Amino acid sequence: MRGDPGACQPGNTHHFTAGSDFSLPFSLSPEPDLNRGVGTALGKRRCEQLTRGQYQDKEEVVLWMNTVGPYHNRQETYKYFSLPFCVGSKKSISHYHETLGEALQGVELEFSGLDIKFKDDVMPGTYCEIDLDKEKRDAFVYAIKNHYWYQMYIDDLPIWGIVGEADENGEDYYLWTYKKLEIGFNGNRIVDVNLTSEGKVKLVPNTKIQMSYSVKWKKSDVKFEDRFDKYLDPSFFQHRIHWFSIFNSFMMVIFLVGLVSMILMRTLRKDYARYSKEEEMDDMDRDLGDEYGWKQVHGDVFRPSSHPLIFSSLIGSGCQIFAVSLIVIIVAMIEDLYTERGSMLSTAIFVYAATSPVNGYFGGSLYARQGGRRWIKQMFIGAFLIPAMVCGTAFFINFIAIYYHASRAIPFGTMVAVCCICFFVILPLNLVGTILGRNLSGQPNFPCRVNAVPRPIPEKKWFMEPAVIVCLGGILPFGSIFIEMYFIFTSFWAYKIYYVYGFMMLVLVILCIVTVCVTIVCTYFLLNAEDYRWQWTSFLSAASTAIYVYMYSFYYYFFKTKMYGLFQTSFYFGYMAVFSTALGIMCGAIGYMGTSAFVRKIYTNVKID
């Protein structure tokens, strides 16, 4: 069987069924001494050589063993040597996590002990021997029953292989013992790696199993910068359904923009004409006067929202999430972040920390305009709202990962590093943004004077209530992105590498336009009903998109995947809740900002008596 990424794609030769919850007996196999005979300096030098990606003839090439885990549970991974595999006789090379993203994503590189040299073929030979007692056999049998796959790296190129397989009756179990490596090179660079698993050996207690390997080097015409193209799946991401979804969303944008510009603008023009020339109104317009009541709340429409501290913090956080999404997508379009382990997550963390002034500026200025006085408290809440949500979820899931001894368990040192980023980078930059926001745009400059006494809100029809508007407001934004959600989910929860960031940029732009148009329409109807509580309504009607995305995640989990077990289920729904909430906050902030500009515009042009 081939060990390339194609073997891991849904719909290929191997179709597996779900198993049950478990905790692997990790104490069975003594883990190899990963530091024997080698100092830290040698490890750092080797990492630099790997990063450089250039080799001299017969220079050492390191085969890193990463993780092993169930095929259907991509995030449930364990150290490769947590199964009772044996390690080669060659001295190991120390490895340290080079990026924060690697540590957070559970990358656990361990040296295989195999002797591989650049352009030097290795004939089939034994590199270690497994003394298979009953406990070790049970561990392998459990892994085979749950269709365990393992991942390796050569020069940062991933390789996948399967642990073993069972016979048709499920009575006998076999371990793949022979790794046949074919490595392609172009000049002094490695551009292609393929693994063929052979040597099927039946698992019988109290026997010895010999593990063997061979290496075949071959010239390749693949360019070094194109070596990751084989891992991509153009037929999946560039399917006509994907193109059709983009076209469909684009047509929705045209329709909504036309709706706002033609209907609302014509209606507003009629309103302006009637309000400025009230004496010329005919009987029919006069009878419809109560329907067009948005001018009647001009003295309350700019009244501060309820709970301004939380509201300002949410708006600031949403603006920051939008800035992070925009910058990360642009960087991914330029740099091909999928070619480096953990680079996407590391980039997102760096960009989030660097854009903290955006949070402080928009949140702090809005809180000041609404008359808030506890600006320090607002700054702290705005700075730690998203980090607290993410870290709280990760902390909960980390307990389960530790119980399972999974590689996804976040090390204590990584937790400390994240906390240091929050306190020593995000908070100070947020403070800078808050001070700038309060001083540059913190003064209220509303076009209408706010009445001292709030105007009573009249009764209205049930479909004009804010709760109904909020529930309905997220349907169209979700409809514009739900096809893209399928591709994003599949790239994260299955074995697909997402690389069409141009599509993602288009979808983000479409989402913003649709969200602003929908919230403007909802706010206009609300103001016509003489209900001036538009701030929270505009935010929540756009943020309700998150509810539909999270509901879709349930459908995706039960009908599009075969995930199982406590760890994978908690991991999936925990981080989907974080993703949906962040998306909702971003959409809410976009909807509020667009609606705020609309409200300010229409009340600026109205002649106030």
Side-chain angles (χ1 to χ4, degrees):
M1 58 169 291
R2 303 295 295 180
D4 57 22
C8 294
Q9 306 293 356
N12 281 1
T13 306
H14 302 281
H15 296 276
F16 304 128
T17 56
S20 58
D21 293 344
F22 75 102
S23 180
L24 258 181
F26 293 95
S27 59
L28 292 177
S29 61
E31 294 194 9
D33 182 5
L34 298 180
N35 296 307
R36 64 178 186 270
V38 182
T40 304
L42 180 57
K44 291 183 178 179
R45 183 177 63 85
R46 177 56 55 195
C47 289
E48 291 174 358
Q49 290 176 335
L50 290 179
T51 304
R52 188 174 68 248
Q54 298 182 4
Y55 296 88
Q56 298 177 357
D57 290 356
K58 295 188 180 299
E59 183 179 354
E60 184 178 38
V61 177
V62 180
L63 175 64
W64 297 107
M65 314 307 293
N66 185 19
T67 53
V68 64
Y71 167 70
H72 292 298
N73 291 355
R74 182 182 177 185
Q75 280 68 36
E76 184 184 335
T77 56
Y78 307 92
K79 293 181 179 180
Y80 176 82
F81 290 107
S82 61
L83 283 177
F85 287 112
C86 56
V87 66
S89 59
K90 193 175 186 304
K91 290 183 178 181
S92 64
I93 293 175
S94 300
H95 172 75
Y96 297 91
H97 290 298
E98 299 175 53
T99 64
L100 182 62
E102 276 188 321
L104 292 174
Q105 288 186 334
V107 176
E108 293 285 350
L109 300 187
E110 299 174 299
F111 182 48
S112 62
L114 302 186
D115 189 10
I116 303 175
K117 292 182 172 61
F118 189 66
K119 295 184 182 179
D120 190 8
D121 291 346
V122 178
M123 300 302 294
T126 301
Y127 66 86
C128 69
E129 190 174 70
I130 300 175
D131 189 2
L132 192 69
D133 56 23
K134 184 179 182 305
E135 289 183 321
K136 292 181 179 180
R137 179 188 180 275
D138 291 342
F140 278 125
V141 168
Y142 183 88
I144 293 171
K145 281 183 178 179
N146 289 275
H147 317 294
Y148 271 38
W149 291 69
Y150 58 86
Q151 186 185 49
M152 308 182 296
Y153 282 98
I154 287 183
D155 194 43
D156 291 338
L157 288 174
I159 320 163
W160 290 270
I162 193 169
V163 172
E165 64 180 36
D167 60 7
E168 295 181 356
N169 299 325
E171 297 178 355
D172 296 325
Y173 298 91
Y174 299 88
L175 182 72
W176 295 106
T177 63
Y178 175 42
K179 294 179 176 63
K180 183 179 179 181
L181 292 166
E182 295 181 359
I183 307 177
F185 65 92
N186 189 342
N188 60 350
R189 294 178 180 270
I190 295 176
V191 296
D192 184 35
V193 181
N194 285 309
L195 168 68
T196 304
S197 296
E198 299 178 352
K200 190 165 63 175
V201 176
K202 184 177 179 180
L203 293 173
V204 179
N206 302 317
T207 58
K208 294 184 181 297
I209 297 179
Q210 293 183 339
M211 305 296 292
S212 57
Y213 81 109
S214 66
V215 180
K216 177 68 175 179
W217 292 85
K218 60 180 182 180
K219 286 187 177 181
S220 175
D221 296 329
V222 177
K223 296 181 180 179
F224 182 78
E225 55 270 18
D226 299 331
R227 63 178 187 159
F228 272 88
D229 289 353
K230 64 171 287 186
Y231 300 99
L232 309 180
D233 191 356
S235 62
F236 178 76
F237 286 104
Q238 298 185 21
H239 194 275
R240 59 183 179 181
I241 293 178
H242 203 173
W243 285 101
F244 178 76
S245 70
I246 298 293
F247 176 76
N248 185 53
S249 299
F250 183 71
M251 295 305 294
M252 184 185 299
V253 167
I254 295 177
F255 170 75
L256 284 173
V257 172
L259 177 68
V260 171
S261 60
M262 293 179 65
I263 298 180
L264 278 186
M265 292 302 105
R266 286 182 62 186
T267 304
L268 287 173
R269 192 180 302 116
K270 186 177 180 180
D271 291 342
Y272 290 137
R274 183 176 59 257
Y275 286 132
S276 61
K277 300 179 180 179
E278 188 173 355
E279 64 279 2
E280 298 178 6
M281 292 173 57
D282 56 25
D283 294 336
M284 182 174 295
D285 284 338
R286 189 173 294 108
D287 291 337
L288 294 175
D290 289 340
E291 184 182 350
Y292 298 91
W294 58 271
K295 184 190 174 186
Q296 300 182 29
V297 295
H298 67 86
D300 298 277
V301 72
F302 295 106
R303 189 176 301 280
S305 62
S306 59
H307 310 290
L309 190 147
I310 298 297
F311 184 75
S312 302
S313 301
L314 287 171
I315 297 300
S317 298
C319 292
Q320 183 182 8
I321 294 173
F322 173 73
V324 171
S325 303
L326 190 64
I327 295 173
V328 170
I329 292 175
I330 293 174
V331 172
M333 291 171 61
I334 298 173
E335 294 294 333
D336 292 337
L337 297 180
Y338 58 83
T339 61
E340 298 181 15
R341 293 186 303 271
S343 58
M344 178 64 74
L345 184 57
S346 298
T347 302
I349 292 174
F350 172 79
V351 173
Y352 184 86
T355 54
S356 295
V358 175
N359 188 335
Y361 182 88
F362 286 98
S365 61
L366 178 60
Y367 186 64
R369 287 197 302 271
Q370 295 196 348
R373 298 183 180 277
R374 296 180 294 174
W375 67 273
I376 296 179
K377 183 177 180 180
Q378 185 277 325
M379 179 199 66
F380 273 94
I381 293 177
F384 294 126
L385 184 64
I386 299 299
M389 178 184 67
V390 175
C391 293
T393 304
F395 190 69
F396 168 73
I397 295 175
N398 207 45
F399 276 112
I400 302 176
I402 292 173
Y403 172 76
Y404 273 73
H405 301 277
S407 66
R408 288 280 178 171
I410 302 174
F412 177 76
T414 304
M415 293 183 182
V416 173
V418 172
C419 291
C420 289
I421 292 174
C422 292
F423 284 101
F424 299 112
V425 179
I426 294 178
L427 184 60
L429 291 179
N430 199 288
L431 173 62
V432 172
T434 301
I435 294 174
L436 289 175
R438 290 179 61 84
N439 286 277
L440 296 180
S441 59
Q443 297 299 321
N445 55 346
F446 305 128
C448 302
R449 183 167 50 88
V450 178
N451 294 336
V453 179
R455 188 176 190 273
I457 299 173
E459 293 185 2
K460 47 187 173 294
K461 295 181 180 180
W462 65 271
F463 54 82
M464 299 299 294
E465 291 292 337
V468 177
I469 293 176
V470 166
C471 293
L472 298 178
I475 294 178
L476 286 179
F478 171 72
S480 67
I481 64 170
F482 87 97
I483 295 294
E484 194 67 25
M485 287 294 102
Y486 171 75
F487 291 99
I488 294 174
F489 287 5
T490 303
S491 67
F492 189 80
W493 301 111
Y495 297 90
K496 300 283 186 182
I497 298 177
Y498 193 95
Y499 68 96
V500 285
Y501 290 99
F503 281 172
M504 187 179 288
M505 175 63 75
L506 283 176
V507 170
L508 179 62
V509 173
I510 290 171
L511 174 63
C512 294
I513 298 174
V514 171
T515 300
V516 170
C517 290
V518 168
T519 52
I520 286 176
V521 173
C522 293
T523 299
Y524 178 72
F525 288 144
L526 187 72
L527 294 176
N528 267 340
E530 299 181 25
D531 190 340
Y532 50 83
R533 299 171 296 179
W534 65 273
Q535 291 99 332
W536 275 107
T537 304
S538 63
F539 176 84
L540 293 176
S541 62
S544 64
T545 306
I547 298 176
Y548 297 102
V549 171
Y550 198 58
M551 291 170 60
Y552 176 74
S553 72
F554 278 82
Y555 165 79
Y556 184 85
Y557 179 87
F558 289 109
F559 295 100
K560 296 298 183 181
T561 72
K562 294 182 179 179
M563 299 178 187
Y564 64 91
L566 173 64
F567 176 81
Q568 184 65 28
T569 303
S570 61
F571 195 97
Y572 178 87
F573 287 107
Y575 282 109
M576 281 311 305
V578 171
F579 172 79
S580 301
T581 304
L583 178 66
I585 293 175
M586 182 189 76
C587 291
I590 292 171
Y592 169 79
M593 298 297 284
T595 305
S596 178
F598 169 78
V599 171
R600 181 178 292 272
K601 178 69 174 176
I602 64 174
Y603 282 97
T604 300
N605 294 334
V606 163
K607 178 182 178 183
I608 305 298
D609 296 332

